[in-house]
Amino acid sequence: MRKGSGPLPLSEHGAILHALEAGSAPMGLADILHALGLPLSLKARLRTVLHEMALAGELATLPPCRLKAITGLPDIVRVTLAHLRSDGCAYAYQSHTPDTSILLVSGLSDGTFLLPGDEVLVRLRPSTGRNRLREGRPIRLLSRQISSFPAHLTAYCLQADTTYLATFEPCDGRIDLTVTVSVTQDNAFFTALKPGVIALLDAALPQTSKNAPFVITRLLGDCDAPGMAATLSILTHALPENFTPECEAQAHLASQSPATLAKADRRDLRDLPLVTIDDDTAQDFDDAIWAEETVEGFHLVIAIADVSHYVPEGSILDQEALIRGNSVYLPGHVLPMLPESLSAGACSLKPHEDRLCVYVDLTLSAEGHCVSGHLGRGLMRSAARLTYQQVQSALDGCESQSPPPNTLPHTLLRTLAKAAAALREEALSRGEKSENTHASDAYSIAFDQMGYPVAFTPRPQGLAQDIVARFMIAANRFVADFMQQKSVQGMFRTHAAPKAGQQVRRVPAHYSPVASRHHGLALPAYAHFTSPIRRYADLVTHRAVIATLESRSRPDRSEGETAAESGLQKMQILHALAGHLHFTERRAASATLACQNRLAALFLRPLCGHAMTAYVTGTTRSAVTLTLTKTGTPSLLFRSALPDDSGLYDDSHTTHAPWRSEATLQPGCLLSVVLRATNPARGTLTLAADSDAH
């Protein structure tokens, strides 16, 4: 490690932090002083300074174990608040370990009300056991994701004077507290308050409103109003909704450039009958596919929208896309990663329009193995925009459904199906894991003209969907192999093997700049490449691959900077990006599920008191986790709600009971339950055991 040009005072915390961030190996007191060019006699002073820096949170961003053998330093970490319990305590997690919890045993000393998404500096208590939950005390609020939260009014009553005490339940499922607000009759919102109304609450400053920490800033409407489910999901997850005028203007300008102007050095694919296959409501067409049979097997071309041409790295467009991380598809409402002029316009592979693309050209054996392939930039023209229903009907020979256009080669869809079958067989032979996941997004929701949900229909997972999935996996796999072979620094998709007794689908996949095995697909390396309109990770992959294809030189380095240092800096940036994209992916999935659950609660409300079928997804100490087959909605059946003669509590019980024993409550088994109540504001259901079921 380089020494400084001369001794630096230890009061300059920035110099110490720079020395700690410059490498990756653990550093002790002597190592830090050596890096700063200071004598070892300053060890005691350095220890004091590090203690001050730790309390200020300046060391909390360092990787774990970066500091070694320095006793006495407080264990200070940056955490993100995940859940507020009814007792006021909160669960939080560190950004580099999002799947582990830290229990915050108190609030902030100044009385500031903490909300999910807040980044907080926490002093951890000493660990008391290897598998025990770590506890900590909040020191300071670092950043706030949301300053207010929606809640629905459950009751209000008159106090001694003209003041009413309104009781609210937060709509955010991560907040289990009941909130009270004092409202006077001269308040602008007083006359509109009624049970079920949704209000936006703000945590008032403790020093100015000690007796009433919450104030109403806006009324949003009734909890069952059309569009409220999406609105609440956007607010509770702080989803970016609107683009800045500068971003919209840049996107509009980029979309006006004809695709044919960028034809130079691109392969012309416009004579190839590439087709897009998507849901009938889709507007952003990322990918188009084509295949033909050969003597040895199959010839495939997968064309992907060349988003990187329209979104320069570091531009306003790029910054907005990075903040979002991905498009969010709420039922009946879409929050695109890019402005509509690009996402549904210039970038979308619309039929019969010239579009820029990046393509993967593959030659497969009859058994689905990749014999050869190459990547390139191209110019294409989609021959048809097909829906899954059209393709499935054509493959099934159903004449009553809308057939594909006659302009397509009559053998194309059959050839696509054959190629997908070969890829599927190859995947099974290498050990790909496939499970019946009962995913919540496996249901499509239909709305009436007013915007109310009127039907939950299971999404078909037939051959048409499998064709697209197999072609996309083949393209992503080839790109990941290309990145490894060319030592391309980019973003990979990793998936760890499940632990003993854990289901494969319960193990989340992650983004990483380091290639690692994808257990679910049984592949040594995998990357996301085929959806750059809606996923920022794919856009990162496109840029890395295109730069390699075009043999672009590295950016100019500052004087004295080595290639190794440049590569290390790039890797650090990618590591931070991977963490951010993991967060935005989880946020989008959580928001979508919350919206679906709210719509399901609204849809099921007229059916309260009726028996329904649910399948078991798991068990906990206090409840059985279920999913309704009617809507795909997850819920809990608390053990206290089970009938006394169920045999779950009494080992001596031998008489016949209509409910299964605890030993038979395995994931996947069907149960009959009674819907007692629904809560559209939070998207929750109250279930009871069906005593009449046998």
Side-chain angles (χ1 to χ4, degrees), residues 92-417:
Y93 63 89
Q94 289 181 260
S95 59
H96 63 276
T97 55
D99 298 321
T100 59
S101 293
I102 297 172
L103 178 63
L104 307 186
V105 295
S106 67
L108 288 169
S109 58
D110 65 357
T112 299
F113 186 74
L114 295 176
L115 293 169
D118 287 350
E119 189 180 21
V120 185
L121 201 65
V122 171
R123 183 167 186 170
L124 295 179
R125 290 178 173 177
S127 178
T128 57
R130 186 174 181 181
N131 297 320
R132 295 287 298 276
L133 180 70
R134 291 298 299 270
E135 296 181 348
R137 178 174 56 83
I139 299 176
R140 187 169 73 254
L141 177 65
L142 298 176
S143 66
R144 169 147 280 179
Q145 187 183 78
I146 55 176
S147 59
S148 56
F149 59 95
H152 69 107
L153 181 65
T154 58
Y156 63 98
C157 60
L158 179 66
Q159 293 184 298
D161 50 12
T162 60
T163 302
Y164 283 77
L165 189 65
T167 303
F168 288 89
E169 182 182 32
C171 300
D172 193 337
R174 299 170 297 177
I175 305 176
D176 286 336
L177 296 173
T178 298
V179 177
T180 57
V181 180
S182 295
V183 184
T184 59
Q185 292 185 3
D186 59 355
N187 188 292
F189 303 113
F190 177 77
T191 57
L193 290 179
K194 60 179 181 178
V197 72
I198 305 292
L200 204 59
L201 304 183
D202 198 358
L205 295 176
Q207 62 269 26
T208 61
S209 187
K210 291 183 179 180
N211 297 324
F214 299 99
V215 294
I216 301 173
T217 59
R218 184 157 58 102
L219 295 183
L220 302 178
D222 293 335
C223 62
D224 58 355
M228 184 59 71
T231 298
L232 292 177
S233 292
I234 292 171
L235 290 172
T236 55
H237 291 80
L239 293 173
E241 189 171 10
N242 300 315
F243 292 96
T244 63
E246 295 80 7
C247 183
E248 292 278 12
Q250 191 176 98
H252 178 73
L253 182 63
S255 67
Q256 298 306 303
S257 177
T260 50
L261 293 182
K263 185 179 177 181
D265 300 325
R266 288 180 180 267
R267 178 181 169 186
D268 195 337
L269 301 170
R270 288 179 291 182
D271 291 335
L272 208 60
L274 290 150
V275 296
T276 63
I277 307 175
D278 295 273
D279 281 320
D280 55 3
T281 58
Q283 297 293 326
D284 49 352
F285 309 132
D286 289 285
D287 53 85
I289 58 178
W290 169 86
E292 66 176 352
E293 288 193 76
T294 64
V295 176
E296 296 82 10
F298 301 94
H299 177 204
L300 276 57
V301 173
I302 302 105
I304 309 300
D306 191 356
V307 178
S308 62
H309 174 83
Y310 297 95
V311 185
E313 188 172 5
S315 64
I316 296 176
L317 272 172
D318 183 52
Q319 294 170 18
E320 291 278 356
L322 173 60
I323 291 172
R324 286 159 174 77
N326 43 252
S327 298
V328 182
Y329 297 92
L330 303 176
H333 191 80
V334 178
L335 301 177
M337 186 181 76
L338 298 170
E340 189 174 348
S341 58
L342 290 178
S343 62
C347 292
S348 186
L349 305 183
K350 293 184 176 182
H352 315 303
E353 296 186 18
D354 290 346
R355 288 292 185 265
L356 301 178
C357 69
V358 183
Y359 67 89
V360 179
D361 192 315
L362 300 177
T363 300
L364 304 181
S365 68
E367 293 76 25
H369 297 279
C370 182
V371 177
S372 63
H374 66 273
L375 287 159
R377 300 183 95 172
L379 178 65
M380 63 153 290
R381 184 184 297 143
S382 172
R385 177 268 199 269
L386 304 179
T387 66
Y388 290 124
Q389 185 180 28
Q390 278 181 305
V391 174
Q392 189 66 54
S393 297
L395 294 174
D396 292 341
C398 181
E399 300 295 338
S400 61
Q401 301 294 336
S402 175
N406 294 328
T407 54
L408 292 180
H410 70 280
T411 60
L412 178 60
L413 296 185
R414 294 293 176 187
T415 304
L416 293 176

Side-chain angles (χ1 to χ4, degrees), residues 570-646:
K570 176 68 172 178
M571 186 62 69
Q572 291 173 338
I573 293 173
L574 288 174
H575 271 292
L577 177 60
H580 171 70
L581 295 181
H582 181 64
F583 160 73
T584 59
E585 182 182 43
R586 286 164 56 116
R587 178 180 65 181
S590 176
T592 302
L593 179 61
C595 186
Q596 293 170 341
N597 291 345
R598 291 186 175 100
L599 290 171
L602 181 59
F603 171 72
L604 293 171
R605 187 165 57 180
L607 300 178
C608 288
H610 291 248
M612 296 183 179
T613 303
Y615 58 83
V616 177
T617 57
T619 58
T620 67
R621 291 182 179 180
S622 60
V624 179
T625 58
L626 305 171
T627 296
L628 290 185
T629 58
K630 190 175 186 65
T631 58
T633 309
S635 189
L636 293 173
L637 180 62
F638 290 98
R639 296 189 186 279
S640 58
L642 296 176
D644 293 338
D645 62 350
S646 63

Side-chain angles (χ1 to χ4, degrees), residues 277 289 388 391-392 395 416-425 427-428 432 434 460-474:
I277 307 175
I289 58 178
Y388 290 124
V391 174
Q392 189 66 54
L395 294 174
L416 293 176
K418 289 181 180 179
L423 289 168
R424 187 187 318 112
E425 289 302 319
L428 294 177
E432 178 182 293
S434 61
Q461 296 297 321
L463 183 54
Q465 288 82 1
D466 190 59
I467 289 173
V468 176
R470 293 298 164 188
F471 275 61
M472 297 307 106
I473 292 173

Side-chain angles (χ1 to χ4, degrees), residues 14-31:
I16 299 175
L17 191 60
H18 177 73
L20 290 169
E21 292 176 339
S24 56
M27 297 182 71
L29 295 173
D31 301 314

